[in-house]
Amino acid sequence: MTQQSAVQDNPATQSASEVDTEIATPQTETNSSLVGAVLGRGRRVGDSAIKFKTIAAAVLVIGMIAAVGGMAWQLNAKSNDLDQVRAAASAEARAEQVALDYATGAADMDFRDLGAWRERLTKGTSPELSNRLTQAATSMEQIISPLQWTSTAQPVAAKVRSESNGIYSVDCFVSVLTKNSQAPDGIQSTATYQLSVDSNNDWGITEIGGIDSALTGSAPSPDNAPPLDTAPPR
């Protein structure tokens, strides 16, 4: 009998081996289950971490988009406000320039060329105002010619006093040197005008009136000499 046969025929030896095998197998399966559970839990934890990071990134992106959108809205609002301020300032500057140009031309007269003065007096005015000014000029010419009246005007300043529905009320100041037969050397004065400029109607002059015919001095003349304010009485 060989040694191998003896071992196989020995019940004690066979039982021990089988027992060892039976003990080892459940333990191996238990270890495998444990590893699988750990790995599974690790995968779940990893998936949760990934999902959390994704959500956090999405929230961050949404927050950034909202912030950028808010900044863009604020910048646009401020840009619109600046545009309105610039437009208002530009409109006021134009009204002032129109009024000052008109006042300077109206104050500039020469008895030897009253036709040119009448043209400047009515240029850029509304039809109703133009008619009133023409009538006033006809009356004034009866005094201007005998006095040999001349006035040279230089613009000083203009300032918008108020605005309503696109109609600007502008105060204008014009430096005027007036000469006539009684004051051949001339008298320097400052004529002040109050004009209404309508931006809705091609920036036309709709009203004109004199606050004072002259702030410093006045041209001497007999009876009722024409004031530096060429507007008809209200």
Side-chain angles (χ1 to χ4, degrees), residues 15-31:
S15 298
S17 300
E18 291 176 355
V19 170
D20 292 340
T21 302
E22 291 175 356
I23 293 174
T25 299
Q27 184 175 3
T28 302
E29 292 177 353
T30 302
N31 291 339

Side-chain angles (χ1 to χ4, degrees), residues 136-148:
T138 301
S139 299
M140 292 175 64
E141 287 171 7
Q142 298 176 10
I143 302 174
I144 293 172
S145 295
L147 286 175
Q148 298 183 349

Side-chain angles (χ1 to χ4, degrees), residues 47-58:
D47 292 342
S48 298
I50 293 173
K51 291 179 180 179
F52 177 78
K53 290 180 180 179
T54 302
I55 294 173

Side-chain angles (χ1 to χ4, degrees), residues 52-115:
F52 177 78
K53 290 180 180 179
T54 302
I55 294 173
V59 170
L60 180 61
V61 170
I62 293 173
M64 292 176 63
I65 293 174
V68 171
M71 292 176 61
W73 181 84
Q74 291 180 353
L75 289 174
N76 184 64
K78 290 181 179 179
S79 178
N80 290 337
D81 291 342
L82 289 175
D83 290 342
Q84 292 177 0
V85 170
R86 293 191 187 101
S90 177
E92 287 191 359
R94 183 169 182 178
E96 290 169 351
Q97 190 62 55
V98 168
L100 189 58
D101 289 346
Y102 174 83
T104 304
D108 194 346
M109 67 175 71
D110 190 333
F111 73 98
R112 291 162 296 193
D113 190 5
L114 293 176

Side-chain angles (χ1 to χ4, degrees), residues 100-137:
L100 189 58
D101 289 346
Y102 174 83
T104 304
D108 194 346
M109 67 175 71
D110 190 333
F111 73 98
R112 291 162 296 193
D113 190 5
L114 293 176
W117 172 65
R118 285 194 302 270
E119 183 178 351
R120 291 192 299 273
L121 192 64
T122 57
K123 182 179 180 181
T125 62
S126 66
E128 191 273 336
L129 178 59
S130 178
N131 182 59
R132 285 164 46 195
L133 290 171
T134 300
Q135 294 177 14

